Amino acid sequence: AQKVTQAQTEISVVEKEDVTLDCVYETRDTTYYLFWYKQPPSGELVFLIRRNSFDEQNEISGRYSWNFQKSTSSFNFTITASQVVDSAVYFCALSEANTGNQFYFGTGTSLTVIP
Amino acid sequence: DTGVSQDPRHKITKRGQNVTFRCDPISEHNRLYWYRQTLGQGPEFLTYFQNEAQLEKSRLLSDRFSAERPKGSFSTLEIQRTEQGDSAMYLCASSTARSTGRETQYFGPGTRLLVL
């Protein structure tokens, strides 16, 4: 079973629009960690945020914000006032405390910001 | 501050040949991971080292694949008798163990393999 689901395969927005990328996860562990990574065309995965299961506070970093809701097993990512440089594939990932050190990645959402 | 580096960045080989990739982690990181990423998919875990010990291996890591980290620093991933299905991006990541919680993995640029 897929542990991380990113239902949106591709999204296109016009520059300056806000966009939300969805991430739904599945785990039986009570302690787990969630991550978002950005993969630009160059291919290197760039770390954006880490959140543990005990910290449900939402976070804002500049134009980026994250909404963690345990009740719906979701960890959504919003980009405000999108820019062309935001165009990339975004991956959500899960790491479980009791099942080793690997990360389980979703299939990614390809975001295109149109100028 | 150097990040994770991988060499080569691209490799084209013929089916049946052996290939070897290298990963140099961030210098103070004692954990090293290999992932494989195919087109349109997220990275899939292959194996993990803590220092020189290989502690986890995925079912994806067939007997044609072998990974080493002999001195607990750089790592190599070798694929023997390559098949066209091995064509993918091979990603390396590193992290440092934390006393609590799960550390962030930092990824290298990847090695893109094409098997003809």
Side-chain angles (χ1 to χ4, degrees):
Chain A
Q2 189 75 8
K3 287 182 179 284
V4 177
T5 301
Q6 294 180 256
Q8 303 151 309
T9 305
E10 296 181 1
I11 299 177
S12 292
V13 297
V14 176
E15 201 171 19
K16 297 184 183 177
E17 286 184 347
D18 299 346
V19 59
T20 295
L21 310 181
D22 298 334
C23 172
V24 174
Y25 61 91
E26 181 182 334
T27 180
R28 293 183 178 182
D29 278 15
T30 55
T31 302
Y32 53 89
Y33 307 87
L34 297 164
F35 301 80
W36 276 94
Y37 285 84
K38 174 182 180 180
Q39 188 173 42
S42 61
E44 186 164 346
L45 281 161
V46 177
F47 166 73
L48 296 178
I49 190 171
R50 170 183 181 271
R51 175 66 78 233
N52 72 51
S53 53
F54 299 111
D55 182 4
E56 288 193 71
Q57 259 195 330
N58 292 325
E59 181 159 338
I60 298 175
S61 176
R63 296 185 297 108
Y64 295 170
S65 62
W66 291 270
N67 184 353
F68 177 27
Q69 293 199 345
K70 288 179 76 170
S71 60
T72 55
S73 298
S74 65
F75 186 44
N76 296 338
F77 172 30
T78 297
I79 302 174
T80 303
S82 59
Q83 299 176 1
V84 173
V85 293
D86 296 328
S87 296
V89 181
Y90 291 86
F91 290 97
C92 180
L94 165 73
S95 180
E96 299 168 314
N98 294 321
T99 56
N101 291 279
Q102 64 176 286
F103 282 15
Y104 299 95
F105 283 84
T107 51
T109 297
S110 178
L111 173 66
T112 301
V113 180
I114 303 165
Chain B
D1 179 26
T2 57
V4 179
S5 61
Q6 293 186 244
D7 183 69
R9 295 291 307 277
H10 303 273
K11 179 71 176 178
I12 300 174
T13 191
K14 292 183 179 179
R15 189 177 54 185
Q17 298 294 305
N18 299 343
V19 294
T20 300
F21 309 141
R22 177 180 170 124
C23 171
D24 287 87
I26 293 171
S27 59
E28 65 269 24
H29 285 185
N30 61 344
R31 291 183 171 177
L32 187 148
Y33 307 79
W34 286 99
Y35 289 82
R36 181 179 73 182
Q37 185 179 19
T38 53
L39 203 60
Q41 300 297 315
E44 297 172 293
F45 171 77
L46 293 177
T47 190
Y48 148 66
F49 290 85
Q50 179 155 318
N51 300 311
E52 64 275 9
Q54 189 173 17
L55 298 184
E56 291 180 41
K57 291 167 68 172
S58 161
R59 289 190 307 273
L60 293 175
L61 211 67
S62 75
D63 56 6
R64 296 185 298 106
F65 288 69
S66 62
E68 294 183 343
R69 195 182 183 200
K71 298 181 180 178
S73 56
F74 73 91
S75 174
T76 58
L77 177 68
E78 180 182 17
I79 309 175
Q80 296 182 326
R81 305 181 303 282
T82 52
E83 301 172 356
Q84 288 181 325
D86 297 330
S87 296
M89 174 84 89
Y90 289 84
L91 294 165
C92 177
S94 72
S95 68
T96 186
R98 294 163 62 110
S99 57
T100 58
R102 181 58 44 80
E103 70 283 4
T104 296
Q105 295 182 18
Y106 294 91
F107 284 80
T111 294
R112 190 173 295 281
L113 173 67
L114 177 60
V115 181
L116 301 175

